[in-house]
């Protein structure tokens, strides 16, 4: 390469092209490349006389062309935004409003919300009621996000630990294989006041796992916290050949009240650093940062800079740190970390060292001809956009922590498993017809069902009425279109905007969503003079 460069310096003919100072860096780079190509064209005749130089140049050009072709043929990637929350709510009832927690309203709404809470009130009667019905925290988030087009697709509760997953409706048919798990670590694994709950899923074909933990408390238990985390990783399994364990997923998000403290520093130094916002002076003594240097299980997890004040421990309804007799030291107990599985190509590139450019050019032709060897025919990148606390909430001795991410990926799945549509006119005066078509093979079941939802529904169980796909089947045509009927008995008599969703019992998720359509007012109800307070509960919910 140096020989070719020297040749250009001595043989190339002058060109009038120049780069203006106002060009951006990317524009300047493109112009420079064009400039070099033009210079190369003027030297082609001169090169023909030098065989060695011609062969070297040909090899370099072929490598460059292959890389350019590979870049041009690279499939388009898509970006999705994820908003995450972790909050130890200290058994408090939820506040009236969580808009700040969810960054509402925002110019660009997230595609996904993942909310992890710790110390949700778990008194025996309260806990039993929450198991039978959604708890007050879940209701608040559903009531807030449902009208904005988000659906709660799954949740898991283990005593005080709660994990909620919301998706915007447009992505719902592409979120599959949802499974949950939990591990107790309190009282030697017999009590669920400490431990971890996890939720895994396939998002456009990429396996993601979210792990919400509440680990052992107190300053002297840093090593025990790492042991508990490793115990959770070892004990939580899923029914999957490709990703049976947490770390088998392409991306893992680990968050919660991890309870790591700030070691060594005295209270005066801590408060001075916090008041002056010199948080970086405390990072070296943060126990999680220190344990990452020792524990291999922590080293692949990334975390953004702790550029916000420690989130524990506050006086209630105050921004003042603990003023009780115990005067507990402030700490970053509430954290959000992530891990992306390394591809073979990225690990091999790290081994190239100083000769990476040479080895890369030698591999260019091989990689361009067989892109699957790079492992990322379907790449996934995770980039953190925001990592901070929300100080305005005072119901707990912890402040909530939020983080937003961009997921950049190429979709493995671009069409839903099932197409669903409403046929004809719908109202409470007659049974209605649903047509669905299986677009891709999946493990269907006699327990699959199609439900009618109001537009803006909050969760998969928030349906108006439903029909079993096998029991209520009417016909099957040559195009594999299946028709089933839906009974008029529980149709909303006042009508409204609705959608249909096909729910797979085996996959435990919605795999097809119809376009919105109008259910008409019941003519019979109008003739009989029905009024809102005499109609069924579904209508009251629909129009409340």
């Amino acid at each position: 390469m140096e020989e070719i460069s020297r040749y250009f310096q001595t043989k190339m003919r002058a060109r009038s092209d120049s780069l203006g100072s106002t060009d951006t860096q990317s524009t300047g780079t493109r112009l420079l490349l064009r400039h070099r190509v033009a210079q190369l064209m003027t030297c082609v005749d001169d090169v023909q006389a030098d065989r060695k130089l011609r062969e070297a140049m040909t090899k370099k050009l072929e490598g460059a062309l292959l890389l350019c072709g590979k870049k041009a043929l690279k499939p388009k990637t898509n970006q999705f935004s994820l908003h995450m929350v972790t909050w130890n709510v200290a058994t408090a009832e939820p506040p009236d409003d969580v808009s700040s927690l969810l960054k509402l309203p925002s110019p660009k709404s997230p595609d996904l919300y993942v909310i992890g809470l710790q110390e949700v009130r778990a008194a025996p009667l309260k806990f039993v009621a929450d198991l039978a019905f959604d708890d007050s925290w879940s209701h608040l988030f559903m009531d807030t996000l449902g009208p904005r087009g988000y659906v709660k697709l799954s949740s898991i509760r283990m005593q005080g630990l709660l994990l909620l997953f919301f998706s915007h409706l447009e992505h719902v048919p592409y979120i599959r294989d949802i499974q949950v798990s939990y591990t107790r670590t309190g009282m030697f694994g017999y009590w669920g006041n400490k431990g971890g709950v996890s939720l895994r899923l396939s998002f456009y074909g990429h396996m993601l796992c979210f792990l919400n933990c509440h680990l052992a408390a107190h300053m002297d238990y840093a090593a025990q916290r790492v042991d508990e985390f490793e115990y959770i990783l070892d004990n939580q399994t899923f029914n999957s050949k490709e990703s049976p364990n947490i770390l088998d997923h392409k991306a893992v998000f680990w968050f919660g009240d991890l309870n790591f403290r700030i070691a060594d520093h005295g209270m005066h130094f801590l408060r001075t650093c916090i008041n002056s916002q010199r948080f970086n002076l405390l990072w070296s003594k943060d126990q999680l940062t220190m344990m990452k240097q020792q524990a291999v299980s922590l080293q692949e997890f990334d975390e953004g800079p702790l550029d916000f004040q420690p989130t524990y421990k506050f006086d209630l309804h105050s921004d003042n740190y603990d003023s009780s007799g115990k005067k507990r030291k402030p700490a970053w107990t509430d954290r959000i970390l992530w891990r992306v599985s390394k591809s073979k190509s990225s690990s091999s590139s790290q081994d190239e060292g100083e000769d990476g450019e040479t080895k890369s050019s030698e591999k260019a032709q091989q990689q361009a001809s067989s892109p699957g060897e790079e492992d990322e025919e379907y790449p996934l990148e995770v980039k953190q956009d925001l990592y901070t606390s929300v100080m305005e909430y005072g119901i707990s001795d912890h402040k909530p922590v939020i983080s937003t991410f961009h997921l950049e990926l190429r979709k493995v799945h671009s069409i839903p498993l099932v197409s669903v549509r409403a046929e004809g006119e719908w109202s409470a005066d007659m049974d209605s017809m649903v047509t669905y078509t299986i677009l891709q093979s999946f493990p269907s079941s006699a327990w699959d069902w199609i439900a009618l939802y109001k537009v803006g529904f909050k969760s998969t169980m928030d349906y108006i009425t439903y029909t079993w796909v096998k029991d209520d089947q009417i016909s099957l045509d040559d195009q594999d279109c299946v028709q089933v009927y839906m009974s008029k008995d529980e149709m909303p008599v006042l009508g409204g905007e609705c959608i249909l969703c096909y729910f797979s019992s085996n996959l435990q998720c919605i795999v097809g969503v119809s376009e919105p359509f109008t259910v008409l007012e019941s003519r019979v109800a109008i003739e009989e003079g029905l009024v809102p307070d005499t109609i069924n509960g579904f209508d009251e919910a629909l129009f409340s």
Side-chain angles (χ1 to χ4, degrees), residues 4 37 101 152 189 211 237-238 291 320 364 366 414 508 519-520 527:
I4 296 173
V37 170
L101 195 65
K152 190 195 82 172
L211 174 61
T237 58
F238 303 98
M291 295 306 295
N320 300 319
Q366 296 176 354
S414 56
Q508 284 296 294
V519 176
L520 302 175
E527 291 172 359

Side-chain angles (χ1 to χ4, degrees), residues 10-236:
T10 56
K11 295 284 186 179
M12 68 183 181
R13 300 168 191 174
R15 296 270 302 182
S16 59
D17 297 2
S18 62
L19 299 179
S21 59
T22 59
D23 291 328
T24 64
Q25 184 176 1
S26 60
T27 303
T29 301
R30 288 195 298 271
L31 289 174
L32 181 61
L33 285 172
R34 291 172 184 169
H35 187 58
R36 290 289 183 260
V37 170
Q39 290 174 337
L40 177 65
M41 294 301 296
T42 65
C43 301
V44 169
D45 293 337
D46 295 331
V47 171
Q48 295 297 324
D50 191 326
R51 183 178 62 81
K52 289 184 178 180
L53 187 58
R54 185 174 68 248
E55 290 176 354
M57 182 179 291
T58 300
K59 185 176 180 180
K60 293 292 183 184
L61 287 174
E62 285 179 349
L65 288 172
L66 284 169
L67 287 174
C68 290
K70 181 180 172 183
K71 181 70 174 177
L73 294 173
K74 186 177 179 180
K76 179 183 177 182
T77 59
N78 300 89
Q79 285 197 352
F80 303 92
S81 55
L82 163 66
H83 184 105
M84 296 188 64
V85 176
T86 180
W87 191 6
N88 183 323
V89 298
T91 73
E93 284 299 306
D96 294 332
D97 183 77
V98 288
S99 297
S100 296
L101 195 65
L102 303 175
K103 289 292 181 183
L104 300 173
S106 58
K108 188 179 185 306
S109 300
D111 298 287
L112 306 173
Y113 278 99
V114 176
I115 300 162
L117 305 179
Q118 306 85 41
E119 291 195 27
V120 174
R121 189 158 69 93
L125 290 177
K126 171 71 174 173
F127 183 58
V128 171
D130 287 349
L131 290 178
F133 309 97
D134 283 317
D135 60 277
S136 55
W137 283 94
S138 297
H139 274 295
L140 174 62
F141 287 114
M142 288 191 292
D143 291 343
T144 302
L145 292 172
R148 291 173 167 83
Y150 294 93
V151 182
K152 190 195 82 172
L153 293 185
S154 186
S155 65
I156 179 172
R157 171 90 184 265
M158 183 187 75
Q159 210 157 315
L161 276 168
L162 177 63
L163 177 57
L164 304 169
F165 177 81
F166 291 84
S167 168
H168 201 273
L169 181 61
E170 65 183 291
H171 308 301
V172 167
Y174 306 98
I175 297 173
R176 306 169 188 171
D177 196 17
I178 301 174
Q179 298 182 45
V180 296
S181 185
Y182 66 91
T183 302
R184 302 184 183 96
T185 59
M187 293 293 291
F188 306 102
Y190 291 101
W191 190 240
N193 65 320
K194 295 290 194 297
V197 293
S198 62
L199 187 153
R200 61 75 60 93
L201 53 91
S202 169
F203 182 68
Y204 287 98
H206 296 263
M207 297 309 301
L208 311 179
C209 186
F210 300 92
L211 174 61
N212 174 24
C213 288
H214 191 186
L215 303 180
H218 305 304
M219 179 69 73
D220 298 331
Y221 288 91
Q224 181 177 332
R225 288 188 270 277
V226 175
D227 291 341
E228 289 180 352
F229 173 59
E230 293 176 343
Y231 178 78
I232 291 168
L233 292 181
D234 291 340
N235 282 271
Q236 289 199 10

Side-chain angles (χ1 to χ4, degrees), residues 341-352:
S341 296
K342 292 182 179 179
S343 65
K344 294 177 182 178
S345 60
S346 63
S347 60
S348 63
S349 65
Q350 291 177 355
D351 296 334
E352 290 173 0

Side-chain angles (χ1 to χ4, degrees), residues 422-433 452 465 486-496 498 517-526 539:
E423 295 289 354
E425 194 173 273
W426 281 56
S427 77
D429 294 332
M430 67 190 78
D431 293 341
S432 300
M433 192 80 68
L452 178 70
T465 185
M486 191 166 285
S487 173
K488 64 182 181 181
D489 293 341
E490 292 181 337
M491 290 282 179
V493 298
L494 292 185
C498 296
F517 63 97
T518 301
V519 176
L520 302 175
E521 288 183 341
S522 167
R523 295 186 185 93
V524 174
I526 294 173
D539 293 289

Side-chain angles (χ1 to χ4, degrees), residues 168-357:
H168 201 273
L169 181 61
E170 65 183 291
H171 308 301
V172 167
Y174 306 98
I175 297 173
R176 306 169 188 171
D177 196 17
I178 301 174
Q179 298 182 45
V180 296
S181 185
Y182 66 91
T183 302
R184 302 184 183 96
T185 59
M187 293 293 291
F188 306 102
Y190 291 101
W191 190 240
N193 65 320
K194 295 290 194 297
V197 293
S198 62
L199 187 153
R200 61 75 60 93
L201 53 91
S202 169
F203 182 68
Y204 287 98
H206 296 263
M207 297 309 301
L208 311 179
C209 186
F210 300 92
L211 174 61
N212 174 24
C213 288
H214 191 186
L215 303 180
H218 305 304
M219 179 69 73
D220 298 331
Y221 288 91
Q224 181 177 332
R225 288 188 270 277
V226 175
D227 291 341
E228 289 180 352
F229 173 59
E230 293 176 343
Y231 178 78
I232 291 168
L233 292 181
D234 291 340
N235 282 271
Q236 289 199 10
T237 58
F238 303 98
N239 183 23
S240 169
K241 292 182 180 179
E242 292 76 19
S243 51
N245 302 304
I246 290 175
L247 295 184
D248 294 327
H249 293 74
K250 188 171 281 190
V252 178
F253 295 86
W254 173 40
F255 55 108
D257 180 2
L258 307 185
N259 254 321
F260 289 99
R261 309 304 172 97
I262 299 175
D264 298 338
H265 292 311
M267 184 68 79
H268 177 73
F269 182 75
L270 274 171
R271 301 248 173 145
T272 300
C273 292
I274 293 170
N275 291 336
S276 62
Q277 297 190 350
R278 291 183 294 172
F279 307 125
N280 60 304
L281 299 180
L282 305 175
W283 293 348
S284 63
K285 296 301 180 181
D286 168 68
Q287 287 183 337
L288 179 53
T289 303
M290 296 166 68
M291 295 306 295
K292 284 186 73 171
Q293 299 173 3
Q294 305 174 27
V296 176
S297 60
L298 304 180
Q299 290 171 3
E300 290 187 1
F301 281 87
D302 294 315
E303 184 179 20
L306 298 168
D307 284 332
F308 52 92
Q309 67 185 83
T311 54
Y312 173 83
K313 172 180 172 59
F314 288 87
D315 293 335
L316 294 182
H317 308 290
S318 169
D319 289 342
N320 300 319
Y321 285 103
D322 185 18
S323 63
S324 70
K326 294 184 178 180
K327 286 188 168 52
R328 293 184 178 89
K329 292 168 62 175
W332 286 291
T333 58
D334 310 284
R335 312 287 278 269
I336 299 175
L337 299 91
W338 75 96
R339 171 190 183 270
V340 179
S341 296
K342 292 182 179 179
S343 65
K344 294 177 182 178
S345 60
S346 63
S347 60
S348 63
S349 65
Q350 291 177 355
D351 296 334
E352 290 173 0
E354 295 179 357
D355 297 328
E357 181 180 350

